[in-house]
């Protein structure tokens, strides 16, 4: 029983498993927070500025697709890690064709991980800008004069962020109902969602760095296993020749 458990433990790719857990958690938090954040932003824009952006709903669908795709990719990389770990590697990559296929699969996943890592870095940069903007809005809402409705929230300095159809007077939020819809119901909740999305994006990037290291190690293990297999075959041939020569001698 102990030997069976030890054999199973040695076949688990712990580094790839940790990277997969990090990736799945990060993607789940990212998709959930971004879906919720964009939903709150849609309601806030409609109630305060009377803006309706239909493309945001398409972005929400993209978040769902991203979550499913990243989960599938993480599980496939984990499967490759299981094949290239411990005694499983000696059984699976025994033939020359399987070794070539294993090295090609590791190289393909390394290329995909590298490209996706760059894409998530760009997403992180975009989220950092969005989080910074909402942090500025949050500080504007935290002004005591705004909270007591003595001053308006003036967003005219951010005119470049609004579509051309928005008037200058609409960028000044003075009505208590609109101030509440902008600050309490919109900016405050969106800010929390975007902060969590930024943190989850960092976690995803870190998981891809782990994936790249694990795939590179698996590639090296498969390549070294090919050399070890060749050396073992040479040793077997040598032993066979030695035994045959011994029989001829006697």
């Amino acid at each position: 029983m102990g030997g069976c458990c030890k054999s199973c433990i040695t076949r688990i790719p712990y580094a790839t498993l940790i990277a997969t857990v990090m990736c799945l958690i990060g993607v789940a938090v990212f998709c959930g927070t971004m879906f919720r954040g964009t939903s709150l932003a849609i309601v806030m824009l409609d109630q305060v500025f009377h803006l309706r952006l239909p493309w945001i709903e398409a972005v929400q669908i993209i978040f769902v697709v991203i979550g499913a795709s990243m989960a599938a990719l993480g599980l496939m990389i984990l499967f490759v890690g299981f094949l290239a770990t411990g005694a499983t590697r000696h059984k699976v990559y025994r033939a020359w064709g399987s070794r070539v296929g294993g090295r090609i699969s590791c190289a393909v996943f390394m290329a995909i991980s590298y490209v996706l890592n760059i894409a998530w870095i760009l997403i992180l940069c975009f989220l950092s800008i969005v989080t910074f903007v909402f942090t500025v809005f949050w500080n504007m809402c935290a002004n005591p004069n705004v909270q007591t409705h003595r001053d308006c929230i003036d967003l005219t300095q951010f005119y470049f962020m609004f579509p051309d159809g928005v008037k200058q007077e609409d960028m000044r939020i003075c009505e208590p109902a609109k101030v509440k819809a902008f600050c309490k119901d919109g900016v405050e909740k969106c800010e929390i969602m975007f902060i969590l999305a930024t943190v989850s994006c960092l976690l995803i990037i870190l998981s891809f760095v782990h994936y790249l290291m694990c795939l590179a190690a698996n590639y090296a293990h498969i390549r070294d296993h090919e050399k070890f297999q060749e050396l073992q075959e040479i040793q077997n041939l040598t032993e066979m020749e030695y035994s045959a020569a011994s029989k001829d001698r006697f």
Side-chain angles (χ1 to χ4, degrees), residues 36-54:
R36 178 62 176 165
T38 51
S39 299
L40 293 171
I42 290 173
V43 175
M44 184 262 291
L45 292 174
D46 188 19
Q47 292 180 352
V48 179
F49 303 105
H50 305 290
L51 285 176
R52 293 184 179 180
L53 303 176

Side-chain angles (χ1 to χ4, degrees), residues 119-131 198 201 205:
W120 280 102
I121 290 174
L122 296 176
I123 294 174
L124 175 64
C125 295
F126 173 75
L127 273 177
S128 300
I129 296 172
V130 173
T131 305
T198 304
C201 193
I205 293 173

Side-chain angles (χ1 to χ4, degrees), residues 99-117:
R99 291 194 296 266
V100 172
R103 292 170 64 181
I104 291 175
S105 62
C106 288
V108 170
F109 281 119
M110 275 194 290
I112 294 174
S113 300
Y114 186 82
V115 173
L116 288 177
N117 196 25

Side-chain angles (χ1 to χ4, degrees), residues 82-103 106 216-236:
F82 272 106
L83 294 180
T85 303
T88 308
R89 179 175 67 247
H90 298 283
K91 293 182 179 179
V92 174
Y93 299 114
R94 185 182 300 274
W96 178 82
S98 61
R99 291 194 296 266
V100 172
R103 292 170 64 181
C106 288
N218 291 336
Y219 182 90
H221 288 159
I222 296 172
R223 182 190 59 189
D224 294 340
H225 180 68
E226 181 178 358
K227 295 179 180 179
F228 175 77
Q229 195 78 16
E230 292 176 354
L231 291 174
Q232 190 172 13
E233 291 176 358
I234 293 173
Q235 184 178 2
N236 292 335

Side-chain angles (χ1 to χ4, degrees), residues 47-50 170 173-183:
Q47 292 180 352
V48 179
F49 303 105
H50 305 290
D170 293 336
I173 307 172
C174 300
E175 299 177 11
K178 287 188 175 181
V179 171
K180 179 181 179 299
F182 179 77
C183 294

